[in-house]
Amino acid sequence: MSSTTTTRPNGLALFILPSALMFALFFFLPIGLMALMSVLTGNPVVMPKVAFTTRHYARMVGDPYYLEVIWTTIRIGLVTTLVALAIGYPLAHWMARIKSRAGHALLLMAVLAPMLTGIVVRTFAWMTLLSDKGVVNQTLMSLGLISQPLKLMYTETGIVVGLVHIYVPFMVLTLTGVIGRIDERLEQAAENLGASPLRAFLEVTLPLSLPGILAGSLLVFALAISAYVTPILLGGFQIMTLPILIYQQISANFNVGFAAALGIVLLVISLMLVIAYNRALGLVSGQRELQ
Amino acid sequence: MSASIEIAGVSKVYDGGVRAVDAVAMDIRQGEFFSLLGPSGCGKTTTLRMIAGFETPSSGAIRVDGADITHVPAHKRDMGMVFQNYALFPHRTVAENVAFGLRMRGLDKATITAKVKAALAMVELSGLEDRRPAQLSGGQQQRVALARAIVIAPRVLLCDEPLGALDKKLRQQMQFELKQLQKKLGLTLVFVTHDQEEALAMSDRIAVMNGGRVEQVGTPTEIYNQPTTRFVADFIGDTNIFRGERTTTSTVASALDVGKGLILALPPTEGQGTGVLSVALRPEKIRLITRTDAATAAGSSAHGIVENTNFLGGAVLYRVTLESAHRVLVQQPNAGTSRLFVPGDGVTLEWTPADLVVLKD
Ligand SMILES: Nc1ncnc2c1ncn2[C@@H]1O[C@H](COP(=O)(O)OP(=O)(O)O)[C@@H](O)[C@H]1O
Ligand SMILES: [Mg+2]
C-alpha cells in the first residue's frame, strides 16, 4: 500500500514534468513578468534605475476613463455571453436530441464551419454587412423601411454581433456534451407525471444542464473580454475595450508598465470568474450529490 | 379511478423501417394485472410507450375507457409509469420526486405533503424523504419510482421491467408487494417483463409477444397449460415439442407419427385428420418408471435410457433418449420414497394423451 502511494506519484511526475516545464516557461513566467512590470516604474532591461510603484494601478482607479473602459469590456463580455447562450442553447438542445445521424452531422458541420475561417475574415464579412453602405442598410433603405442608414458599425452592438458569431460554437459544443448526457427519459417521466413539454424542460433538463451553461458562459465570457481583432475592426477605435487599450499603451504610448497593469486587471476578472464558476458548480453538484 | 385499455390493431414502424409492433390487439380490463411477456426486442417497451404517449402508433388506435387517446399528448394521459431505469430526478430529493406529479396538478402544499408522506409510508420508505436518488439502493429507488407513479392515483400504471435490476431475493419480495399494492388500490397495471416466471406468478392475464406480434393472450394457467402456438409452448417453461404427420393405427384412431417408429396418440378432443401437426408435452406430465418388459401402451408410452439428471431440489429433471432417438425432458417430483434414476438406467415413460397440447405453428 505504502509502496504504491510513494512510487506512483513519482512515476507520474516523470510524465508530467515536460508539460509542467512548458507550462511554467510559457505561462507562469510571462504572467509573473507581467505582474512584475505592472508594479515597476519602467522597463528594467532598458532602464537601470527602476523602483517599485503603485502608480499604474492608481492611475486606473483615479481616472474614470479607464474604469469606463473596464466596465465597457465587462459589459460587452456579458452581453455577448448572454446572446451566445440564448442562441447556443436551443441549437445545442436540438443537436443533443436529434435522432438521425445525418441530421446530427449536418448540424455539427453548420456549427463548426465558421470556425474554419479566420476571425479577421469573418469580421470583415460582418463589416460589409453592417457598415453604413453595407448590405443590411442598403436593403432596408431600398425597401423604404428607413431613410437614414442605421448606425450598426462602430457601436457596441456591432462588436457584440461579431463576437457572438465567433464564440457561439464554443457555447454550443460545451452545452451539447452536457445536454446529451441527460437521460431523455427524465423529461418523459416529468411529462408522464403531468408536466407539459416546456414545464418538463424547465423542471428537469434546464437545471441538469446548469454545469454546461456555467462552463460555456465562462468560456465565452473569457474569450469575449480578451477579444482584440473584432472590437478594433467593428468598433473602429470608437469603442474602447481593455485589449485595445493594452495594445495602444504598448505600441503607441510605449507605457509597458501601465499595459501590464491593465493586463493584470483583465486576468483578475477572468480569475474571479473561474473561482465563482467553481463555487457555483460546487453548489450545483453538491446539491446533486454527484461526488 | 382505474380504467380499461383497448389496443386496436396498433402497429409501429420506426424511422429506420423497423416494424417494432405489428397489428397488436388486446383488451386490458379495469383493475387487471396485465403482463406483456416476450423475449428482448419483441416490442414490449414500444407497446408500453405508445400507451404512455411517448410514441405515436403508425396505425391503429388506443382507447382508454372507450375514449380514443391515440393522439393525446403524454402529459394529459393521467397514467403513472415506472421506467426500466426508474428515471428518478437526480437533482431532487425523494420527497420532491414523489411530489412532482402532485405539484403539476396544482395541489396545495399541505395536501402534497400529506400525500407524499402516505405514499412513502405505503412503499416503506418513511424517513428517507430528504435523500437524493443516488444515495439509495436499487430496491429503494424502485420503491421511490413506484411511489412517484401511484401517488397521482393514475388511471393506469405502466411498468417497464421494473424489477429487472434487482437481485433475486429482493425481486421476489417486490413482486409480492407490487401485486398486493395493485390489488389493494384496484389499479389497472400493464407490466412488461421478459421473465416468464415473474409473469406467471403476478399476472391476471398475460399477452405473450414475439417479433412485434401477440402470440397468445390468456391467464397464466391457460398460457402454461394450453399454449396455442409453438413459440408460446417453447417460451413458457420447459417443454417437449414433437412434430409429425397425422395418422391412424390399428389401436389409435387419431395419432401423430413423429418418425423413427414413435407414434403419439392425440388427445381425444382431436378428431381424425391428415397433415402436419406440432404437439407439446410438459416434462412434469410424464411419469418415469423402471423399464418394464411388458408391451408399452400404444401411443402413450415409450422406452428410453436416462442420459443425464438435473437435481432441482423439489424435483428432478431427467433427459431421456427414447428408442426412437427422440430426446425428451421428464420432470419427477422428489418424493423421497423411490430411488432416483441415474444416467444409463433403462426407463419407461408414460403419459396421458389428453396432456398433449396441439400447437399452431
Ligand atoms: N427508437 C427506436 N428507433 C428504431 N428502432 C427501435 C427504437 N426503439 C426500439 N426499436 C426496435 O424495435 C424493436 C422492439 O424494441 P422494444 O420495444 O424496445 O422491445 P422490447 O422492449 O421487447 O425489448 C427492436 O428491434 C428495437 O431494436
Ligand atoms: Mg424493453
Side-chain angles (χ1 to χ4, degrees):
Chain A
M1 190 62 201
S2 65
S3 70
T4 53
T5 48
T6 49
T7 56
R8 262 173 104 207
N10 285 345
L12 247 143
L14 261 173
F15 285 104
I16 292 172
L17 198 62
S19 59
L21 277 175
M22 289 275 287
F23 203 63
L25 194 62
F26 293 106
F27 191 77
F28 278 120
L29 189 64
I31 288 178
L33 286 178
M34 184 166 81
L36 186 66
M37 295 289 283
S38 75
V39 290
L40 292 179
T41 50
N43 188 343
V45 182
V46 291
M47 282 209 296
K49 276 201 280 181
V50 291
F52 283 105
T53 175
T54 55
R55 73 161 191 238
H56 300 309
Y57 291 100
R59 180 178 168 197
M60 229 185 293
V61 179
D63 189 338
Y65 173 74
Y66 297 117
L67 293 179
E68 180 60 35
V69 170
I70 293 173
W71 172 231
T72 306
T73 312
I74 293 177
R75 192 170 54 226
I76 288 177
L78 285 177
V79 176
T80 303
T81 305
L82 287 178
V83 176
L85 184 62
I87 295 174
Y89 197 100
L91 206 57
H93 192 270
W94 188 19
M95 239 169 99
R97 291 280 186 255
I98 195 165
K99 293 277 186 307
S100 108
R101 277 167 174 274
H104 185 266
L106 271 175
L107 277 174
L108 190 64
M109 286 238 303
V111 169
L112 289 181
M115 295 177 82
L116 301 177
T117 325
I119 288 178
V120 181
V121 176
R122 279 189 282 166
T123 305
F124 270 116
W126 276 113
M127 291 170 74
T128 63
L129 286 171
L130 298 180
S131 70
D132 284 0
K133 292 199 176 109
V135 177
V136 174
N137 275 319
Q138 296 271 324
T139 311
L140 288 177
M141 286 208 288
S142 68
L143 288 173
L145 291 173
I146 50 171
S147 52
Q148 295 282 317
L150 294 175
K151 193 154 170 49
L152 298 172
M153 252 183 59
Y154 310 129
T155 61
E156 268 183 51
T157 313
I159 297 179
V160 167
V161 167
L163 288 177
V164 165
H165 178 228
I166 291 167
Y167 296 129
V168 147
F170 294 88
M171 185 67 94
V172 172
L173 294 179
T174 311
L175 282 170
T176 306
V178 175
I179 298 173
R181 265 177 271 125
I182 301 172
D183 191 339
E184 238 179 313
R185 281 172 293 191
L186 293 176
E187 255 173 82
Q188 291 173 349
E191 284 180 42
N192 176 254
L193 291 165
S196 65
L198 176 68
R199 191 81 193 267
F201 168 78
L202 292 176
E203 296 266 359
V204 177
T205 313
L206 189 63
L208 288 176
S209 60
L210 219 52
I213 294 177
L214 285 173
S217 301
L218 176 69
L219 189 63
V220 170
F221 183 81
L223 289 169
I225 60 167
S226 52
Y228 165 67
V229 174
T230 310
I232 283 189
L233 293 180
L234 288 172
F237 290 102
Q238 296 187 27
I239 311 290
M240 268 299 159
T241 66
L242 270 177
I244 302 175
L245 195 61
I246 293 171
Y247 171 77
Q248 283 186 337
Q249 289 302 318
I250 293 172
S251 65
N253 302 9
F254 305 106
N255 193 341
V256 182
F258 188 53
L262 291 170
I264 290 295
V265 168
L266 197 58
L267 186 73
V268 167
I269 295 172
S270 296
L271 272 181
M272 282 185 339
L273 237 96
V274 171
I275 291 164
Y277 163 79
N278 272 330
R279 294 198 59 140
L281 202 64
L283 271 177
V284 173
S285 56
Q287 214 180 60
R288 293 204 283 145
E289 310 290 352
L290 283 182
Q291 264 67 54
Chain B
M1 197 55 220
S2 270
S4 62
I5 307 172
E6 184 188 340
I7 297 174
V10 164
S11 297
K12 175 69 188 180
V13 183
Y14 280 114
D15 287 343
V18 183
R19 187 169 278 272
V21 170
D22 193 4
V24 162
M26 51 200 175
D27 287 316
I28 301 165
R29 298 170 194 148
Q30 186 209 319
E32 180 174 50
F33 196 120
F34 191 93
S35 289
L36 300 177
L37 172 66
S40 176
C42 72
K44 308 180 295 290
T45 296
T46 304
T47 306
L48 200 71
R49 287 171 58 80
M50 286 191 288
I51 300 176
F54 301 136
E55 304 284 355
T56 312
S58 309
S59 63
I62 299 173
R63 287 185 274 272
V64 172
D65 278 346
D68 192 330
I69 58 150
T70 316
H71 299 286
V72 173
H75 68 281
K76 290 187 179 151
R77 291 199 180 191
D78 204 13
M79 295 180 175
M81 176 137 173
V82 177
F83 287 75
Q84 195 160 4
N85 66 345
Y86 314 140
L88 297 177
F89 306 129
H91 57 305
R92 295 187 186 276
T93 64
V94 168
E96 287 167 346
N97 264 279
V98 177
F100 192 91
L102 301 172
R103 235 168 16 89
M104 293 306 120
R105 279 159 180 71
L107 299 185
D108 64 87
K109 261 219 163 75
T111 315
I112 292 179
T113 314
K115 283 192 184 234
V116 168
K117 197 168 176 216
L120 285 175
M122 187 146 60
V123 295
E124 289 165 20
L125 281 181
S126 301
L128 299 185
E129 285 84 354
D130 297 327
R131 297 259 192 106
R132 305 268 163 191
Q135 297 170 305
L136 300 177
S137 72
Q140 289 170 331
Q141 291 183 16
Q142 206 279 331
R143 283 158 197 260
V144 176
L146 190 60
R148 185 176 71 174
I150 58 175
V151 76
I152 58 171
R155 292 193 292 172
V156 176
L157 181 60
L158 309 170
C159 298
D160 192 356
E161 312 215 11
L163 312 178
L166 307 180
D167 59 56
K168 188 163 183 197
K169 198 92 191 196
L170 191 56
R171 195 163 70 224
Q172 283 176 339
Q173 187 193 338
M174 286 304 298
Q175 284 176 0
F176 183 74
E177 288 178 13
L178 183 59
K179 175 86 187 169
Q180 284 243 311
L181 201 63
Q182 180 264 337
K183 282 285 165 257
K184 192 172 111 192
L185 302 175
L187 276 172
T188 306
L189 200 159
V190 186
F191 186 88
V192 162
T193 181
H194 66 261
D195 181 342
Q196 40 114 356
E197 280 179 34
E198 190 167 276
L200 291 174
M202 300 178 78
S203 316
D204 294 321
R205 286 194 304 148
I206 301 170
V208 182
M209 292 185 68
N210 179 35
R213 293 178 157 273
V214 173
E215 294 263 339
Q216 185 175 0
V217 180
T219 64
T221 35
E222 281 168 359
I223 296 281
Y224 188 83
N225 290 336
Q226 286 116 39
T228 54
T229 68
R230 189 187 174 111
F231 175 83
V232 175
D234 210 21
F235 188 73
I236 311 288
D238 291 317
T239 200
N240 298 295
I241 293 179
F242 300 94
R243 188 175 167 79
E245 193 89 29
R246 296 190 62 161
T247 181
T248 306
T249 69
S250 52
T251 48
V252 194
S254 169
L256 199 65
D257 181 354
V258 295
K260 307 240 177 75
L262 183 61
I263 307 279
L264 307 178
L266 286 173
T269 49
E270 201 70 21
Q272 269 175 273
T274 53
V276 176
L277 209 64
S278 292
V279 292
L281 182 59
R282 294 283 179 197
E284 70 273 17
K285 303 276 166 136
I286 304 175
R287 292 175 301 282
L288 204 59
I289 54 175
T290 308
R291 181 172 177 139
T292 55
D293 286 328
T296 58
S300 61
S301 67
H303 296 309
I305 290 171
V306 174
E307 282 295 317
N308 58 48
T309 72
N310 193 354
F311 185 68
L312 305 176
V316 188
L317 196 63
Y318 296 100
R319 193 177 292 278
V320 179
T321 305
L322 302 184
E323 282 174 344
S324 60
H326 290 91
R327 306 183 90 199
V328 177
L329 280 176
V330 182
Q331 186 177 316
Q332 299 292 286
N334 177 20
T337 48
S338 54
R339 125 191 135 82
L340 303 177
F341 295 102
V342 294
D345 282 354
V347 287
T348 298
L349 286 66
E350 296 176 341
W351 61 89
T352 313
D355 285 333
L356 287 187
V357 179
V358 177
L359 306 173
K360 288 186 291 196
D361 280 293

